[in-house]
Amino acid sequence: MMGAAALAQPSAAALPLDNLGLEHLDIVVPDPAASARFYARVFKTTLHQQPIRDTIRYFVLLGDLPADRQVGYIAIGAAAAGRTPSIGHYCTLAKVYDRAGMGRALEAAGFAGIRGAGGLGMWPDPDGLELQLFQPPAGLVTAAVKSSLPVEGDGVVTPIGVDHVMLLVSDIERSLPYYRLVYGAQAEAPRRPGDARVWFNLERGTRIGLQKAPSGEMPRIGHYAIKVARFDRNAVIARLQQLGAKVLDSADEPDVLRFLDDNGIVVELVQVTSNK
């Protein structure tokens, strides 16, 4: 999907990744332009876009675009006919991305190799949930330019970057060996009493959560969370309601504002005091 970063020369230990944290995620929706307008009225951002075949992919920047184009973002693409709106994949940056070595390590441990050819590709976990990897210099795809999409009104909350993704898996114990191999057992956070989730702490204050998918539901990326600057909660709720979004209960995390976007995708806003 994004501009391909140069792959590293094979190294002695391709895994676990020497990660640089979560960079971006991808959502697929029936109408990317409508979704981009929605997000541009939530986030104080500059939309970018890139033509993809007969559609346009939009990028919601999670900060100012620097010269090296290394900025977090939400990519919005068109869903294939009949596909439910969803979070398609998430992307982690690695100091060194040894694709061949990673493939050998995963396959030796009984896991699937990469999906896709060329410089791009996705790494499926045991449930098929997709991870994309880049190494710097990566950054926002070079073909993306500032969007000409007209948007009525400005955003109301300042984004800082991706905070976490929550992966709904069929069996946590079945998934853990894969995630320990990819990110390292030392990245796994101690489980809190009563918390059924398992967290892997990555660099730059980003995280990946594993949670069992609800009974009868397929594994998927359940939600994503964006770090944002302090905001007026009532003003943001008012804007979300104005846009037809549904605000969800977040009494369990009072600093979080949780909502369904215009396509029913669960999003969380996590307030922070700095961009560290």
Side-chain angles (χ1 to χ4, degrees):
M1 182 192 68
M2 305 294 100
L7 301 185
Q9 293 299 314
S11 60
L15 294 176
L17 294 171
D18 191 356
N19 79 84
L20 295 173
L22 300 179
E23 186 209 42
H24 76 264
L25 56 96
D26 161 274
I27 64 174
V28 292
V29 299
D31 187 341
S35 183
R37 289 190 179 97
F38 172 91
Y39 281 99
R41 296 189 65 193
V42 175
F43 294 115
K44 297 177 182 178
T45 186
T46 303
L47 289 176
H48 278 59
Q49 66 182 52
Q50 175 196 19
I52 301 289
R53 294 180 290 277
D54 57 347
T55 66
I56 295 178
R57 184 177 295 273
Y58 293 94
F59 305 94
V60 180
L61 273 58
L62 303 177
D64 296 329
L65 183 63
D68 64 3
R69 301 178 73 85
Q70 193 63 65
V71 64
Y73 56 91
I74 303 165
I76 306 174
R83 182 174 178 179
T84 302
S86 63
I87 305 167
H89 71 259
Y90 72 96
C91 177
T92 299
L93 289 179
K95 287 183 180 179
V96 175
Y97 174 23
D98 175 3
R99 191 170 81 167
M102 182 169 170
R104 289 192 296 269
L106 285 171
E107 289 170 4
F111 299 112
I114 197 168
R115 292 174 176 166
L120 302 179
M122 301 290 174
W123 298 94
D125 80 347
D127 287 304
L129 306 182
E130 292 184 329
L131 159 68
Q132 188 175 54
L133 286 172
F134 290 131
Q135 73 178 45
L140 180 70
V141 58
T142 54
V145 298
K146 189 173 179 180
S147 179
S148 59
L149 184 71
V151 178
E152 296 182 4
D154 297 323
V156 292
V157 64
T158 300
I160 295 172
V162 180
D163 183 83
H164 70 262
V165 291
M166 180 60 67
L167 310 181
L168 303 182
V169 300
S170 59
D171 186 323
I172 288 179
E173 297 305 320
R174 174 172 170 261
S175 296
L176 278 175
Y178 169 89
Y179 285 93
R180 288 169 178 157
L181 177 61
V182 172
Y183 294 108
Q186 74 280 0
E188 185 177 343
R191 299 196 199 189
R192 297 178 180 178
D195 190 350
R197 301 169 296 182
V198 176
W199 291 97
F200 283 81
N201 293 326
L202 307 190
E203 293 299 310
R204 300 181 183 177
T206 62
R207 301 181 296 162
I208 295 170
L210 304 181
Q211 184 173 346
K212 183 173 174 54
S215 178
E217 295 187 16
M218 295 293 292
R220 65 187 187 279
I221 304 178
H223 74 255
Y224 69 88
I226 301 299
K227 292 186 178 77
V228 298
R230 292 287 174 180
F231 59 83
D232 182 330
R233 191 179 186 91
N234 290 334
V236 177
I237 289 175
R239 173 55 57 86
L240 291 170
Q241 292 173 336
Q242 179 186 20
L243 295 173
K246 181 179 180 181
V247 177
L248 303 175
D249 177 68
S250 60
D252 57 324
E253 297 176 286
D255 280 345
V256 169
L257 179 55
R258 187 176 297 135
F259 63 93
L260 297 177
D261 76 358
D262 56 327
N263 286 286
I265 294 171
V266 180
V267 183
E268 292 184 352
L269 306 181
V270 180
Q271 297 188 80
V272 297
T273 56
S274 73
N275 60 358
K276 299 299 182 182

